[in-house]
Amino acid sequence: MKYIERKLIWTLLALSTFLLFKSSDENIIPLIKDTVIDPAFYQFPNGNSIIFNLSVGYIVSLMFYIIVVVIPEYREKKSLKNELGQAVSFVFEAFFHERHDFGIMFHWSKHIVHCKPIDEHLKEIDKFKSDASYERLNAAKANMLVQSVHEVLPTFEQLVPVAFQISHRHAMLWLSITNSLRQIASLYGIPVDERDWGILDLNLGEFVGYVGEFYEVN
C-alpha cells in the first residue's frame, strides 16, 4: 500500500508541476519553445488561475509534508535502528572478529553501551557471514559466544517494542533475530561435550542474515 501511495504522491507532483507551467501567465521557457512539446504548455481556454493555485497549493503542501513529517520520521527511525544496533554489535563483537586479546574471554560481562556503532560492523557483514559457524570459531570461541548470547538475550527480548516503532516489517525481523539468538542461548545449559553445534551453525548464520535485512545491507 505504501508503494502505491508513494507512486501516487510523486505522480501528482509531476502532474502539478506540468499544470503549474501550463496555466501560468509567464512566457514558455526558451528551452522548449518552438519544439514538438511547445503546444502542450499553451494555457487552457478557461480556469487557468484556479488550476495554477491548486498546483501551487499541492507542491507547497508536499514540501511542508516532507519537511515536517518525512524527514523527522526518517531521522527518528534511523536513531532507533542505531540504538538497537548496540545490542547487535555486542553479538558481532563476540564473534572474536580479528581479535586476539584475552579480554574477549570476558566479553559476556561487557556493557552494551561500550560496543562500537553498528555501522562499523555492517561494513564487514560478508566477513561475519563467512565466520558464522562452529568450524570457523573453534571450540573455545564458540563456547564463549554461547555464553555472551545467553547474557544478552533478555535485552533483545525487551527491545521488541522499540523495533515495532520503526515498522511492522522491522519488528518481524527483530523477532526472527531474537529467536535465532534464543536457539543459540539454549546451548548454554547443556554440558559442553553434549552440545549440538549444528544449532549454532544454523542460527548464527540466520542471525547475520536477518541483521543484514534489518539494516538493508544485503
Side-chain angles (χ1 to χ4, degrees), residues 1 4 9 21 31 45 54 57 61 68 70-71 74 88-89 92 100 116 119 141 153 159-160 162 173 194 197 203 218:
M1 184 64 182
I4 297 175
I9 288 172
F21 284 102
L31 183 65
L54 287 174
S61 297
V68 176
V70 175
I71 293 177
Y74 171 80
V88 177
S89 289
F92 275 153
H100 307 289
K116 294 180 180 179
D119 288 343
K141 293 179 179 179
L153 178 61
L159 289 173
V160 170
V162 178
L173 286 169
E194 296 179 13
W197 293 112
N203 289 282
N218 280 349

Side-chain angles (χ1 to χ4, degrees), residues 5-16 58 62 66:
E5 290 175 358
R6 286 196 296 268
K7 292 285 287 185
L8 179 61
I9 288 172
W10 294 113
T11 300
L12 290 175
L13 175 61
L15 179 61
S16 296
Y58 179 82
L62 181 59
I66 292 173

Side-chain angles (χ1 to χ4, degrees), residues 180 183-187 190 196-204:
S180 295
Q183 298 303 316
I184 295 173
S186 68
L187 297 171
I190 301 174
D196 180 0
W197 293 112
I199 294 176
L200 177 71
D201 290 347
L202 174 62
N203 289 282
L204 193 55

Side-chain angles (χ1 to χ4, degrees), residues 83 86-87 90 93 110-117:
E83 291 174 11
Q86 290 298 108
F90 180 89
E93 290 173 22
K110 181 177 182 177
H111 293 287
I112 287 177
V113 293
H114 299 308
C115 293
K116 294 180 180 179

Side-chain angles (χ1 to χ4, degrees), residues 4 13 27-28 35 43 104 109 213:
I4 297 175
L13 175 61
N27 294 326
I28 297 175
T35 65
Q43 283 191 320
I104 195 61
S109 63
E213 290 186 51

Side-chain angles (χ1 to χ4, degrees), residues 62-188:
L62 181 59
M63 291 174 61
F64 272 105
Y65 172 73
I66 292 173
I67 294 171
V68 176
V69 178
V70 175
I71 293 177
E73 185 178 274
Y74 171 80
R75 288 176 176 171
E76 175 66 16
K77 289 182 177 181
K78 184 174 179 61
S79 176
L80 291 173
K81 290 170 76 172
N82 288 337
E83 291 174 11
L84 291 170
Q86 290 298 108
V88 177
S89 289
F90 180 89
V91 179
F92 275 153
E93 290 173 22
F95 265 66
F96 318 98
H97 186 50
E98 296 181 357
R99 187 172 177 183
H100 307 289
D101 59 285
F102 290 106
I104 195 61
M105 295 175 61
F106 307 100
H107 181 75
W108 61 271
S109 63
K110 181 177 182 177
H111 293 287
I112 287 177
V113 293
H114 299 308
C115 293
K116 294 180 180 179
I118 185 61
D119 288 343
E120 293 189 28
H121 297 304
L122 294 177
K123 295 174 184 177
E124 301 181 286
I125 191 88
D126 290 333
K127 184 68 167 64
F128 283 115
K129 288 179 181 178
S130 65
D131 286 350
S133 68
Y134 176 79
E135 182 179 359
R136 293 282 294 176
L137 290 173
N138 76 44
K141 293 179 179 179
N143 284 310
M144 292 178 194
L145 174 62
V146 169
Q147 185 177 13
S148 296
V149 170
H150 175 264
E151 291 295 326
V152 79
L153 178 61
T155 301
F156 275 82
E157 294 172 336
Q158 293 163 10
L159 289 173
V160 170
V162 178
F164 270 104
Q165 293 180 45
I166 302 174
S167 73
H168 181 268
R169 177 177 177 275
H170 283 90
M172 295 300 101
L173 286 169
W174 190 260
L175 287 171
S176 296
I177 289 170
T178 303
N179 185 61
S180 295
L181 294 181
R182 186 179 295 112
Q183 298 303 316
I184 295 173
S186 68
L187 297 171
Y188 182 74

